[in-house]
Amino acid sequence: IVTYTREYISTNLLEQIHFVTIRPSPEYIYMLNHRIPSYDNQIHYMMGLINQPSVSIISGSIEKGTKNMQVLHYHLVVKATKRKFKKWLKHVTDHVTCLHKVYGYQKAVVVSETQAGNIINGIKYYNGMSKNIEDALKPDVYKHIIGNIIIKTFKDLFSTL
């Protein structure tokens, strides 16, 4: 693992890295199929939605939530120019909720601020690493995303090697 310090993170990179949390509205997901789809079907739908040629999904984690919720949520590290990212974000938001069209706001897709001081912690958190326990996964991590590929959790992947 390569460790970067603030001095080595270029401004250009900071402008292109985005931390995104996607928590699809359960009602919206239900209305797509008239039932809550299985985890595998939810992942298939989401991967088709987020994989667009204008952005790169660097990595992320797919999580069940601490109470093993029926609808998965996603933490993504996305690389894209600001213009392409805004277009991608609108596309994703339109496919996981409709509250912004009804009420003018939504909480299903949240972008966290990227700064040189928080980029390392952001990358760790958005890849499913615990804030409280060093080198441990969050307890609700279900799968990981590297590039556009879904893998078992890092823990499961490395335990089989």
Side-chain angles (χ1 to χ4, degrees), residues 20-150:
V20 182
T21 299
I22 303 172
R23 293 181 192 280
S25 299
E27 302 86 1
Y28 197 76
I29 296 301
Y30 178 85
M31 288 181 60
L32 292 173
N33 298 304
H34 299 290
R35 64 181 178 84
I36 299 291
S38 69
Y39 284 166
D40 286 341
N41 287 344
Q42 289 179 51
I43 291 171
H44 181 74
Y45 173 76
M46 188 59 64
M47 292 305 289
L49 179 62
I50 64 175
N51 286 323
Q52 301 294 319
S54 58
V55 302
S56 295
I57 305 301
I58 297 172
S59 61
S61 63
I62 302 170
E63 301 176 3
K64 296 179 184 180
T66 54
K67 296 179 181 175
N68 288 333
M69 305 299 283
Q70 287 183 323
V71 178
L72 296 169
H73 67 273
Y74 307 79
H75 293 291
L76 304 173
V77 181
V78 179
K79 184 178 181 210
T81 63
K82 282 186 180 183
R83 186 173 67 68
K84 290 180 180 180
F85 179 70
K86 280 180 123 177
K87 186 176 179 181
W88 176 86
L89 195 63
K90 182 182 180 334
H91 172 75
V92 170
T93 303
D94 285 347
H95 287 83
V96 296
T97 187
C98 60
L99 292 178
H100 58 298
K101 294 178 187 259
V102 177
Y103 299 114
Y105 67 90
Q106 56 82 31
K107 294 181 182 179
V109 181
V110 177
V111 179
S112 297
E113 189 175 356
T114 307
Q115 299 174 345
N118 76 357
I119 196 163
I120 301 303
N121 289 335
I123 289 170
K124 285 181 179 180
Y125 180 80
Y126 279 76
N127 281 295
M129 300 303 292
S130 174
K131 285 183 179 179
N132 303 324
I133 304 169
E134 190 70 27
D135 297 329
L137 290 177
K138 292 185 273 182
D140 61 335
V141 172
Y142 180 59
K143 299 222 183 239
H144 279 102
I145 301 170
I146 302 292
N148 295 328
I149 300 168
I150 301 291

